[in-house]
């Protein structure tokens, strides 16, 4: 699959959104316990379902939903919720949101290893270089 300029812009927007969300999450978790934060966050997600449904109906052709895909979706959602809870507790316990977020940003390394082990995806030189940059970035941030 070709990495286009459009894809790069969308990825950059996602990255900025994730960065802003981590800072806003820290601000919220300083004032709301992590478990309650997760519940309230879930309510907000639920309220946005009609918006996402409308966008999906407008942008995607209807197609059958694979039941195995639904189970993987449920697993991904549950693991994501658990990860959000752990991240929330880590943010709440931390005085340094940039360091906490930098360490959590090593998740692409886990993704690369799990994809290699379970999806038979072969790491590329670019992926290895990217992971090395992530580790280097965490080291640089931790030295300040």
């Amino acid at each position: 699959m070709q990495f286009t300029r459009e894809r790069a812009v969308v990825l950059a927007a996602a990255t900025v959104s994730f960065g802003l969300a981590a800072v806003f999450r820290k601000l919220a978790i300083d004032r709301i316990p992590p478990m309650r934060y997760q519940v309230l966050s879930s309510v907000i997600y639920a309220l946005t379902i009609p918006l996402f449904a409308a966008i999906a109906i407008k942008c995607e052709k209807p197609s059958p939903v694979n039941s195995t895909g639904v189970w993987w979706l449920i697993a991904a959602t549950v693991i994501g919720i658990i990860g959000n809870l752990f991240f929330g507790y880590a943010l709440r316990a931390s005085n340094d949101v940039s360091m906490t977020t930098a360490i959590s940003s090593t998740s692409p390394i886990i993704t690369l290893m799990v994809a290699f082990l379970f999806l038979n995806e072969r790491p590329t030189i670019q992926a290895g270089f990217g992971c090395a940059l992530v580790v280097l970035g965490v080291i640089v941030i931790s030295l300040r």
Side-chain angles (χ1 to χ4, degrees):
M1 189 177 291
Q2 185 69 21
F3 196 77
T4 63
R5 178 177 292 167
E6 177 184 323
R7 187 166 292 179
V9 169
V10 170
L11 184 57
T15 302
V16 169
S17 297
F18 290 142
L20 287 172
V23 171
F24 293 167
R25 188 177 294 123
K26 170 65 172 163
L27 291 169
I29 287 177
D30 281 346
R31 294 157 181 85
I32 303 169
M35 186 63 81
R36 195 167 305 148
Y37 169 89
Q38 190 66 42
V39 169
L40 293 171
S41 177
S42 297
V43 168
I44 293 167
Y45 279 125
L47 293 174
T48 63
I49 289 172
L51 172 66
F52 286 115
I55 292 170
I57 289 168
K58 186 171 182 144
C59 297
E60 295 179 352
K61 293 185 275 186
S63 61
V65 176
N66 180 305
S67 62
T68 304
V70 172
W71 284 111
W72 284 117
L73 171 66
I74 292 168
T77 303
V78 169
I79 291 170
I81 289 169
I82 292 168
N84 279 335
L85 283 172
F86 283 139
F87 187 60
Y89 282 107
L91 279 175
R92 188 168 190 140
S94 173
N95 291 332
D96 189 353
V97 69
S98 62
M99 183 61 169
T100 304
T101 303
I103 291 171
S104 74
S105 296
T106 60
S107 63
I109 298 168
I110 303 299
T111 303
L112 188 71
M113 291 188 304
V114 172
F116 174 75
L117 292 173
F118 296 106
L119 301 177
N120 294 322
E121 291 186 10
R122 299 290 172 234
T124 63
I125 296 294
Q126 293 92 337
F129 184 66
C131 287
L133 285 175
V134 167
V135 171
L136 182 64
V138 171
I139 291 169
V140 168
I141 287 174
S142 67
L143 293 176
R144 58 182 178 99

